[in-house]
Amino acid sequence: MRKATRMAAAGLGVTSLMAISACGGGGDNGGGGDADANAWILTGGGWPAIEEDFNRWNESNEDAQIDVEGIENDSYKGQIRTAVGSGEAPTLIMSWTGGALLEYAEQDAVVDLTGETGDLEERVFDSVWQNGQVEDSTYAVPLNDVQPVVMYYNQEVFDEAGVEIPETWEDVEAAIETFNENDVAPFSLAGGSVWPALMWLQYLTDRHGGEEVFQAVVEGEEGAWDNESILFALETMQDLGENGGFIDSYNSVTADQNEDAQLLADGQAAMLLQGSWVYATINNDFPEFADSGNFGFTSFPTLEDGAGDPSNIVGNPANFWSVSADASEEEQQIAMDYISENLYNEETVDAMLEAGSLPPLNDIEEEIAATEDADFLEFSSQLVGDANNFQLSWDQAVAPEVAQPLTDNLSGILRGEMTPQEFVDAMNAL
């Protein structure tokens, strides 16, 4: 368990997006030569830093230019899937791995990168690297920061109720009872946004049955959703909603305006399960709480009788690069040189850390220690480094046509409009 101590956090986002050039063919990439390879990136968030990295590469490699195009997040998945399917994919294909990468590998749409990544595999945490592998072969490599889901807490609320930070599920159940007796909500939850509840479903399923449960879903095993661990997680979530575990108004709380984080900061809730990006949100939006010495963070509790590895974590292990099998040999070589020689270079790593983001690397302890956010980044780095498995967020891991029904059916669980068995039956029917 750790408590935040820094004065202010820089946001995960960085500078505004730089000029974007068209994909394919030639173009001005900052290096003055014709583009030989190309890449699609997203707009907003930390992506301008990735584009700046490409610009530096182009300035230093006149004969190995990489043209870059920015695409909005909402339309990216559809566009890249169409491009890969038609053999018109960019040389560097960005994905969240999961079902999309499995599909690309099975279709021979991406290049096997095993043995072609220089020392990158040795530098990247195993729990993150595994997400780019299919049957022990490497088809994708991480390209930006990791975002594990962690448990935030308000120490003042715990002190007033005389409760210790829970480490096991039995501790959680005892804490819920005490907080309810003190008229404090144990957990804030933005149920109105639905996706934050997915974090609960993922952790509870993993703690109960291990990573194999959801892997069966990703691999398309028949009836995979009808698993006792998924049913346990859904039943537990409904119990938390009906019996005082979540804040009473959870179905009207949204994450868009950080209402869930505000409930924690205001002391109306004792804990919040959210992504690592909320650390910056609380420092930026609720600095009085962040500076109070009461803002803490810890890992998701263990489940005493669960079969899952308690070191497992969920969240976003990073975005990943693959190399298109439809690209020319010259384009593929440029892409593989960029991956093996340039990814997570010193300048890029420093920029990520300065922005409060965590590269998934095992050799940057000194750099982390020198940052303003050292406490949280060290905690997150250890969490990722010690993890046996880093489960990609389910809505990113499943096929695009499954993501929306998953969200819709989870909303039905939160609102009590669907039973756990009806949820798994509906998901199996897709």
Side-chain angles (χ1 to χ4, degrees):
M1 292 168 284
R2 303 285 294 277
K3 286 195 284 186
T5 56
R6 71 183 292 274
M7 295 297 291
L12 292 177
V14 290
T15 59
S16 61
L17 186 63
M18 299 178 68
I20 294 171
S21 54
C23 72
D28 182 1
N29 307 291
D34 291 335
D36 293 317
N38 65 324
W40 290 359
I41 63 174
L42 302 185
T43 58
W47 287 96
I50 302 301
E51 185 167 30
E52 290 169 6
D53 184 59
F54 275 118
N55 287 337
R56 288 192 294 271
W57 166 269
N58 286 336
E59 289 171 358
S60 302
N61 297 274
E62 290 189 358
D63 297 327
Q65 298 286 286
I66 301 176
D67 203 357
V68 181
E69 181 179 8
I71 296 175
E72 292 185 357
N73 183 73
D74 290 346
S75 60
Y76 177 81
K77 284 186 176 179
Q79 289 191 42
I80 193 64
R81 198 176 190 197
T82 299
V84 172
S86 63
E88 298 294 332
T91 315
L92 282 163
I93 301 172
M94 189 280 289
S95 78
W96 289 260
T97 67
L101 179 63
L102 181 62
E103 185 176 291
Y104 295 161
E106 290 177 345
Q107 295 174 350
D108 294 324
V110 292
V111 174
D112 185 347
L113 299 175
T114 306
E116 302 289 343
T117 58
D119 64 354
L120 198 59
E121 183 172 1
E122 297 174 4
R123 299 180 63 205
V124 173
F125 288 127
D126 288 343
S127 64
V128 175
W129 191 264
Q130 292 165 3
N131 281 272
Q133 293 186 309
V134 177
E135 295 182 352
D136 297 326
S137 293
T138 300
Y139 286 94
V141 298
L143 68 101
N144 52 11
D145 59 310
V146 289
Q147 298 176 332
V149 172
V150 304
M151 189 79 78
Y152 300 98
Y153 60 87
N154 187 323
Q155 184 64 58
E156 184 177 18
V157 174
F158 274 83
D159 290 342
E160 290 177 351
V163 176
E164 298 294 324
I165 308 302
E167 297 181 357
T168 67
W169 195 251
E170 284 187 0
D171 293 341
V172 170
E173 292 175 329
I176 288 173
E177 184 175 348
T178 303
F179 283 128
N180 283 332
E181 291 171 355
N182 286 271
D183 295 324
V184 175
F187 290 102
S188 174
L189 173 66
S193 297
V194 185
W195 59 263
L198 199 56
M199 302 173 186
W200 279 95
L201 179 57
Q202 294 172 202
Y203 259 126
L204 287 167
T205 298
D206 193 282
R207 289 288 190 269
H208 188 272
E211 64 266 27
E212 295 83 3
V213 175
F214 186 68
Q215 187 60 31
V217 172
V218 173
E219 293 176 357
E221 289 187 19
E222 186 175 354
W225 286 98
D226 196 357
N227 181 284
E228 63 173 350
S229 295
I230 295 176
L231 287 166
F232 163 80
L234 294 167
E235 290 165 357
T236 301
M237 291 176 66
Q238 286 198 326
D239 182 63
L240 289 168
E242 294 169 359
N243 296 301
F246 298 143
I247 194 166
D248 290 343
S249 58
Y250 68 90
N251 273 320
S252 61
V253 176
T254 66
D256 296 343
Q257 300 300 319
N258 304 317
E259 293 173 354
D260 52 348
Q262 183 166 9
L263 290 167
L264 178 77
D266 290 348
Q268 297 183 60
M271 294 171 278
L272 170 67
L273 185 68
Q274 257 287 10
S276 57
W277 56 88
V278 167
Y279 173 80
T281 297
I282 288 179
N283 276 278
N284 289 331
D285 294 358
F286 313 107
E288 185 174 344
F289 170 58
D291 296 343
S292 67
N294 291 312
F295 177 33
F297 37 83
T298 187
S299 55
F300 192 83
T302 61
L303 185 63
E304 288 83 351
D305 299 325
D309 189 317
S311 73
N312 284 356
I313 56 176
V314 308
N316 298 321
N319 297 98
F320 282 67
W321 287 130
S322 295
V323 176
S324 172
D326 291 310
S328 68
E329 290 186 8
E330 181 184 13
E331 292 166 344
Q332 290 178 2
Q333 189 59 55
I334 293 172
M336 288 191 279
D337 287 346
Y338 173 80
I339 286 172
S340 62
E341 300 173 9
N342 187 75
L343 272 186
Y344 297 113
N345 58 72
E346 184 176 347
E347 192 167 1
T348 300
V349 168
D350 288 345
M352 286 184 180
L353 292 173
E354 185 176 351
S357 302
L358 178 67
L361 306 176
N362 55 36
D363 58 357
I364 55 172
E365 291 90 348
E366 292 184 5
E367 290 86 344
I368 289 175
T371 66
E372 286 187 82
D373 305 294
D375 282 356
F376 185 71
L377 292 176
E378 286 173 351
F379 161 76
S380 298
S381 183
Q382 183 173 359
L383 201 65
V384 177
D386 291 347
N388 170 66
N389 185 70
F390 193 152
Q391 173 59 59
L392 171 65
S393 297
W394 286 10
D395 55 345
Q396 301 288 353
V398 297
E401 62 269 22
V402 177
Q404 190 58 51
L406 172 60
T407 300
D408 293 342
N409 290 329
L410 185 57
S411 177
I413 288 291
L414 294 174
R415 296 180 181 281
E417 299 168 350
M418 178 177 274
T419 67
Q421 189 61 54
E422 289 172 338
F423 175 98
V424 298
D425 290 345
M427 295 305 299
N428 275 337
L430 294 174

